[in-house]
């Protein structure tokens, strides 16, 4: 058994009410002073360095510090005073100390051998895994929202044992190797002195408990695979490539932790007529040459159905007008975008003799010089050059 441990506050030379900053400052000063690389072969400095690190690992962690304040050393080191496998002089959890920060500047970052360690609360409540799924919906369904069903295979908490893994009527024993923490201390030698870090307990596989009579329904795992049909409510305004997260619809959590989430990626099918840019709907309206010249009352499709629009006489091809509020609703908002309509004048590609005659007469009336033979070709060539 080691001699009585010194008080952690005393080790760092700070008061019990010291702020986190004060503790950090005191630790940096002492860690540098006693660091083995600065004191080669000095056993006393090495011991002090370990002591300082251990004190800091507890006092820098608000949860551990609170336990230490309440219960003393026994509150933060399960081996303390019990002659545990670590020989009593508990190491520290490297995961809690920002060594890169402290030693990076000091030793040029070449301070190898300090891996992070497993969480010291390995057997604590853990959130379940999140699941991923995808849905393909129509343009209109994306605009106005919809409900879809997804078939999922997920793990759920076993109803028979309520997730404990122990057959109903029996209880699980706290693992004696790790005292229920799910982690054990492992000694590591670095640069001639030993650190202890933590590793998952092999006896209970990190669960902290040993089940003597496994639950028959789940085989002791505490969870069962289930096929579930989940209704996904897709909000109006969602866009292609966006995802929605359904809290708690993923796999069951462990040790009483919450279930994971279900993340649904949404694909929106392209629309034959509409394109979308955010909340804006883009649409191209074909009109005839006559309509463009003379004006027309058009019926324009929108996601709400057809709306009337008076096309002014003399509208040029490529002209864009706006239908206010006919776009996509804002995702989780109140507003709606607009629909932009671009007018495309359709140029006839084949005309019969009568039509050609009428067009030539029209061109002549417009003062164009229309050659008798090449006819329409000339008209189109000139038209092209003017563009
Ligand atoms: Zn069970
Ligand atoms: Zn264990």
């Amino acid at each position: 058994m080691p001699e009585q441990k010194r008080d952690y506050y005393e080790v760092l030379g700070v008061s019990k009410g010291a702020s986190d900053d004060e503790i950090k400052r005191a630790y940096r000063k002492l860690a540098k002073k006693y660091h083995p690389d600065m004191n080669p072969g000095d056993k006393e400095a090495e011991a002090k360095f370990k002591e300082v690190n251990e004190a800091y690992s507890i006092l820098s962690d608000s949860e551990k510090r609170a336990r230490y304040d309440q219960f003393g050393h026994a509150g933060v080191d399960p081996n303390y005073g019990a002659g545990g496998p670590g020989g009593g002089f508990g190491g520290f959890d490297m995961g809690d100390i920002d060594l890169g920060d402290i030693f990076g500047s000091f030793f040029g970052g070449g301070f190898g051998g300090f891996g992070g360690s497993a969480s010291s609360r390995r057997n604590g409540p853990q959130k379940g895994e999140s699941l991923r799924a995808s849905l393909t919906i129509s343009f209109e369904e994306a605009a106005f929202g919809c409900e879809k069903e997804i078939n999922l295979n997920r793990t759920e908490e076993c109803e028979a044992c309520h997730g404990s893994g122990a057959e109903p009527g029996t209880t699980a024993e706290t693992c004696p190797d790790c005292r229920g923490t799910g982690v054990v201390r492992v000694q590591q030698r670095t640069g001639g002195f030993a650190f202890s870090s933590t590793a998952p307990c092999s006896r209970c596989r990190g669960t902290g408990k040993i089940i003597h009579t496994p639950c028959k329904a789940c085989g002791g795992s505490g969870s069962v695979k289930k096929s579930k049909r989940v209704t996904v409510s897709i909000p109006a305004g969602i866009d292609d490539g966006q995802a929605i997260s359904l809290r708690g619809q993923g796999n069951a959590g462990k040790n009483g932790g919450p279930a994971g989430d279900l993340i649904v990626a949404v694909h929106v099918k392209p629309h034959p007529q509409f394109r979308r840019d955010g909340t804006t709907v883009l649409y191209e309206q074909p009109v005839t040459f006559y309509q463009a010249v003379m004006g027309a009352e058009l019926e324009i499709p929108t996601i709400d159905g057809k709306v009337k629009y008076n096309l002014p006489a003399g509208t040029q091809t490529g002209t864009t007008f706006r239908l206010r509020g006919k776009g996509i609703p804002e995702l989780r908002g109140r507003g709606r975008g607009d629909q932009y309509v671009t007018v495309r004048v359709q140029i006839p590609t084949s005309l019969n003799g009568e039509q050609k005659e009428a067009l030539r007469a029209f061109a002549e009336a417009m003062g164009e010089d229309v050659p008798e033979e090449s006819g329409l070709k000339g008209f189109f060539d000139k038209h092209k050059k003017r563009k």
Side-chain angles (χ1 to χ4, degrees), residues 286-293 311 344-346:
V287 299
T288 67
F289 178 66
Y290 182 83
Q291 287 175 314
V293 174
L311 187 73
R344 293 281 172 223
V345 176
Q346 305 297 293

Side-chain angles (χ1 to χ4, degrees), residues 220-350:
S221 69
S223 60
V224 286
K225 276 233 173 267
K226 275 198 177 161
S227 174
K228 260 274 147 65
R229 190 167 262 256
V230 175
T231 303
V232 182
S233 181
I234 295 173
I238 199 152
D239 209 344
D240 186 50
Q242 290 182 317
I244 41 181
S245 176
L246 281 82
R247 193 174 285 246
Q249 296 287 351
N251 281 339
K254 291 195 176 87
N255 301 311
D261 302 327
L262 171 62
I263 294 150
V264 182
V266 176
H267 300 293
V268 180
K269 272 188 268 187
H271 193 276
Q273 290 177 296
F274 301 129
R275 280 187 305 121
R276 179 173 163 181
D277 181 10
T279 59
T280 301
V281 170
L282 302 167
Y283 171 71
E284 290 198 347
Q285 174 69 43
V287 299
T288 67
F289 178 66
Y290 182 83
Q291 287 175 314
V293 174
M294 305 297 284
E297 188 177 86
L298 301 175
E299 285 211 317
I300 294 173
T302 73
I303 55 175
D304 294 322
K306 293 199 165 170
V307 297
K308 284 192 164 40
Y309 182 79
N310 284 315
L311 187 73
T315 300
Q316 301 295 318
T317 191
T319 303
T320 297
F321 57 87
R322 174 163 67 169
L323 299 176
R324 223 175 258 276
K326 290 293 176 192
I328 308 285
E330 278 170 38
L331 188 63
R332 297 189 180 91
R334 278 184 216 154
R336 259 185 88 168
D338 303 321
Q339 176 170 332
Y340 283 90
V341 179
T342 301
V343 172
R344 293 281 172 223
V345 176
Q346 305 297 293
I347 302 298
T349 49
S350 67

Side-chain angles (χ1 to χ4, degrees), residues 175-184 201-210:
C175 174
D177 281 16
C178 62
R179 289 155 207 275
T181 61
V183 288
V184 288
C201 173
S202 57
R203 182 154 177 188
C204 61
R205 279 174 294 167
T207 61
K209 59 195 180 184
I210 290 167

Side-chain angles (χ1 to χ4, degrees), residues 108-126:
F111 204 78
F114 285 97
S117 66
S119 160
S120 55
R121 288 185 300 276
R122 195 182 159 85
N123 68 327
Q126 280 175 36

Side-chain angles (χ1 to χ4, degrees), residues 158-173 209-224:
C158 172
E159 281 168 16
C161 64
H162 300 288
S164 76
E167 178 68 11
T170 73
T171 48
E173 180 201 345
K209 59 195 180 184
I210 290 167
I211 296 164
H212 294 290
T213 318
C215 166
K216 284 188 198 73
C218 63
S221 69
S223 60
V224 286

